[in-house]
Amino acid sequence: MKIKQNNMQVLSDTVHIKVRFSEVDSMNIVWHGAYVKYLEDGRESFGKKYGITYQDVLESGYYIPIVKLNCVYQLPLRYGDSAIVETRFINSDAAKILFDYSIYRESDQALILEASSMQVFLNQQQELELNTPPFFADWKKKHLAFL
């Protein structure tokens, strides 16, 4: 889906998740660290939808570790809740991948969490790439041609 954000179109994807018992604490609310997994679910779904999975990146000769993650928790999810993870690609001229996220409780559309992440490119020797890898530049040309 291409949506407008700050008068710019961005690529986005949504994935539905169901809170499992193993993700809640003794208060029956989702443990704060489980939200990081939900963000990963969002990135994986986005990658499948737009043809830039972790496997695609590896086959191109790169790793993309997360180097920055910011989460703002608004409300808790509880065991049995269903949630929607919205993942939005943020374009950058730098050699990095940026995403913004929103997690909503499906039953009432309440905003649960807002987050952002930054991933960088490492080559096969695990050295930081300062220039955008060709495969990613090609991907951006294909998917961001509307910008």
Side-chain angles (χ1 to χ4, degrees), residues 113-128:
L113 177 132
E114 292 181 294
S116 62
S117 66
M118 178 192 304
Q119 293 168 271
V120 296
F121 294 96
L122 301 180
N123 61 27
Q124 290 296 305
Q125 293 73 42
Q126 298 190 359
E127 300 165 328
L128 181 65

Side-chain angles (χ1 to χ4, degrees), residues 86-99:
E86 180 183 39
T87 305
R88 295 174 302 280
F89 176 79
I90 306 302
N91 191 26
S92 172
D93 291 334
K96 57 187 171 184
I97 301 176
L98 303 174
F99 287 108

Side-chain angles (χ1 to χ4, degrees), residues 1 3 5 8-13 42-43 46-47 50 52 86-94 96-101 117 119 121 132 136-137 139-141 143-144 146-147:
M1 167 195 296
I3 61 172
Q5 182 176 344
M8 287 182 50
Q9 288 185 327
V10 296
L11 299 178
S12 72
D13 180 62
R43 283 191 303 280
F46 181 95
Y50 291 106
I52 188 156
E86 180 183 39
T87 305
R88 295 174 302 280
F89 176 79
I90 306 302
N91 191 26
S92 172
D93 291 334
K96 57 187 171 184
I97 301 176
L98 303 174
F99 287 108
D100 281 345
Y101 313 85
S117 66
Q119 293 168 271
F121 294 96
T132 300
F136 189 58
W139 179 86
K140 287 172 60 169
K141 283 180 193 172
H143 292 284
L144 303 178
F146 57 86
L147 291 180

Side-chain angles (χ1 to χ4, degrees), residues 47-144:
K48 287 177 188 173
K49 180 176 181 178
Y50 291 106
I52 188 156
T53 66
Y54 287 114
Q55 191 62 40
D56 295 325
V57 174
L58 287 172
E59 289 173 2
S60 296
Y62 296 92
Y63 303 101
I64 50 170
I66 291 184
V67 295
K68 185 174 184 181
L69 180 65
N70 293 311
C71 297
V72 179
Y73 301 90
Q74 305 288 337
L75 294 169
L77 287 171
R78 299 183 183 283
Y79 173 63
D81 280 345
S82 293
I84 301 167
V85 180
E86 180 183 39
T87 305
R88 295 174 302 280
F89 176 79
I90 306 302
N91 191 26
S92 172
D93 291 334
K96 57 187 171 184
I97 301 176
L98 303 174
F99 287 108
D100 281 345
Y101 313 85
S102 298
I103 297 179
Y104 301 93
R105 186 171 37 240
E106 194 165 9
S107 63
D108 62 0
Q109 300 297 303
L111 179 62
I112 302 300
L113 177 132
E114 292 181 294
S116 62
S117 66
M118 178 192 304
Q119 293 168 271
V120 296
F121 294 96
L122 301 180
N123 61 27
Q124 290 296 305
Q125 293 73 42
Q126 298 190 359
E127 300 165 328
L128 181 65
E129 288 289 320
L130 299 177
N131 296 309
T132 300
F135 87 93
F136 189 58
D138 291 343
W139 179 86
K140 287 172 60 169
K141 283 180 193 172
K142 177 180 177 184
H143 292 284
L144 303 178

